[in-house]
Amino acid sequence: MPGGLVAEVHTRGARLHGLWVPDRDGSPADIVLAPRDPARTATTARYFGATVGRYANRIAHGRFSLDAKPYQLTTQEDGHCLHGGADGFDTRLWEAESVHTPERTGVLLHLRSPDGDQGFPGNLDVTVSFLVGRDGELALTYTAVSDAATPVNLTNHAYFNLDGEGAGDVLGHELAVHASHYTPVDDDLIPQGDHRPVSGTAFDLRRPLGIADALARPGADEGYDHNFVLDPCGDGALRPAAVLYAPATGRRMEVLTTEPGLQVYTAGRFDGTVLGKSGRPYGRGAGIALETQHFPDSPNRPGDPSPVLRPGEEYGSRTVLRFSTSG
């Protein structure tokens, strides 16, 4: 695609499998982590690059009530519902159609999630698009409609390394997050108490900071796997969420979104058991996930923005990855 970006999207899991981006010298590299063995996407690399839902992130104990009716979702090993449950959207084969315009090219993917899927109410029809532009952007747009009230929270779970997939860890990258509050969590990564100011904590990333330096702060020992409450913007407008920069290659990725939150995960639990596309193992910090989203467990937290989609409404979410180089 003119503009330098090339994306590879797979229909299994509506998965961003690769994204080639030029460095400051114009040399492209694939910056998205994915397993060398495709079978790993069913196990230890399950969420790599996938579209996750019906509800991204965690719902405590897989339980919530909606309109005074209780619901029990499927749960995973820790007893909570993660990324839509035991058989989430990442496991499904989506229907695809290509899109070509003078300015953008890409793919639309469609999925029907039936009433009762993983315990969620309502028949849900979902569309996600991946569109590469001449302007150095990858735009991800999600829409959904339902015939019954249901929580919906869709995101993409790509891991990025701006030096290139398999090039080592991202500890030398610099990260800024446009958030003055974050969500504290318990040992199961379930939200605990109110959102807290980032000021004076390990979660203050309002100015660019090397990831190694950020993780050396007290309170970040295990790395980040937390929701950041993005600073407000106009209703429905794209808001700046994060900027990731790799000094070694000059690649810079700006994340903009219509979503209220950003889950930052620095791959602290990677242990080298997954071999990447390059054949190199993915160890701790091999990539970073920047998941635009509603807040975790918000069906059980009435003070958070509501994730409930009702009949006659349309769920809409948009995230833009904007690439440039510097240095």
Side-chain angles (χ1 to χ4, degrees):
M1 177 73 185
L5 300 187
V6 176
E8 180 180 347
V9 177
H10 291 185
T11 52
R12 179 74 64 182
R15 196 175 299 268
L16 181 63
H17 183 77
L19 183 62
W20 285 261
V21 180
D23 64 9
R24 63 166 63 92
D25 298 319
S27 299
D30 184 1
I31 65 165
V32 169
L33 275 59
R36 188 175 192 176
D37 178 3
R40 287 279 191 169
T41 59
T43 57
T44 51
R46 175 174 171 180
Y47 300 118
F48 280 45
T51 298
V52 292
R54 186 180 294 196
Y55 196 91
N57 215 309
R58 291 163 177 84
I59 296 178
H61 309 293
R63 295 194 294 264
F64 67 92
S65 292
L66 180 57
D67 298 334
K69 182 177 179 179
Y71 292 90
Q72 177 64 60
L73 308 175
T74 62
T75 57
Q76 283 95 320
E77 293 81 0
D78 61 2
H80 304 294
C81 183
L82 174 64
H83 296 324
D87 181 23
F89 291 178
D90 61 288
T91 69
R92 313 295 172 83
L93 186 63
W94 295 56
E95 296 181 0
E97 60 179 296
S98 60
V99 176
H100 297 284
T101 72
E103 296 301 321
R104 297 189 182 276
T105 189
V107 63
L108 287 174
L109 298 113
H110 307 279
L111 180 71
R112 165 158 275 216
S113 172
D115 181 34
D117 188 1
Q118 307 306 294
F120 287 98
N123 295 294
L124 186 76
D125 290 295
V126 182
T127 299
V128 58
S129 67
F130 296 80
L131 297 179
V132 171
R134 294 176 178 270
D135 48 8
E137 293 184 351
L138 173 64
L140 292 81
T141 302
Y142 310 83
T143 60
V145 293
S146 177
D147 60 6
T150 186
V152 181
N153 183 28
L154 305 174
T155 194
N156 182 269
H157 204 297
Y159 292 97
F160 299 98
N161 185 327
L162 298 187
D163 288 335
E165 175 274 329
D169 60 48
V170 296
L171 298 182
H173 287 32
E174 296 174 1
L175 177 65
V177 179
H178 298 276
S180 55
H181 289 74
Y182 78 101
T183 304
V185 294
D186 64 17
D187 290 343
D188 286 345
L189 300 177
I190 299 298
Q192 188 175 45
D194 296 332
H195 306 297
R196 295 179 188 169
V198 300
S199 181
T201 76
F203 303 94
D204 192 349
L205 298 172
R206 291 174 291 180
R207 294 183 179 180
L209 186 65
I211 292 177
D213 294 332
L215 298 184
R217 292 168 164 176
D221 310 26
E222 300 300 319
Y224 296 125
D225 194 356
H226 294 77
N227 173 65
F228 286 74
V229 180
L230 298 176
D231 294 334
C233 193
D235 187 33
L238 283 171
R239 70 181 83 193
V243 178
L244 186 66
Y245 173 65
T249 58
R251 293 188 183 93
R252 184 177 185 270
M253 183 176 78
E254 184 179 3
V255 182
L256 304 100
T257 186
T258 56
E259 290 299 292
L262 180 76
Q263 185 83 6
V264 177
Y265 176 42
T266 51
R269 292 184 292 279
F270 282 20
D271 60 6
T273 57
V274 174
L275 291 182
K277 290 174 284 189
S278 61
R280 300 184 181 96
Y282 291 151
R284 183 181 174 94
I288 182 171
L290 301 169
E291 305 158 57
T292 56
Q293 58 168 17
H294 268 56
F295 304 152
D297 202 30
S298 59
N300 295 311
R301 293 169 59 89
D304 287 350
S306 174
V308 175
L309 175 68
R310 295 187 178 276
E313 300 175 344
E314 182 177 75
Y315 171 92
S317 174
R318 187 165 183 257
T319 293
V320 171
L321 306 179
R322 181 176 294 162
F323 293 94
S324 59
T325 58
S326 63

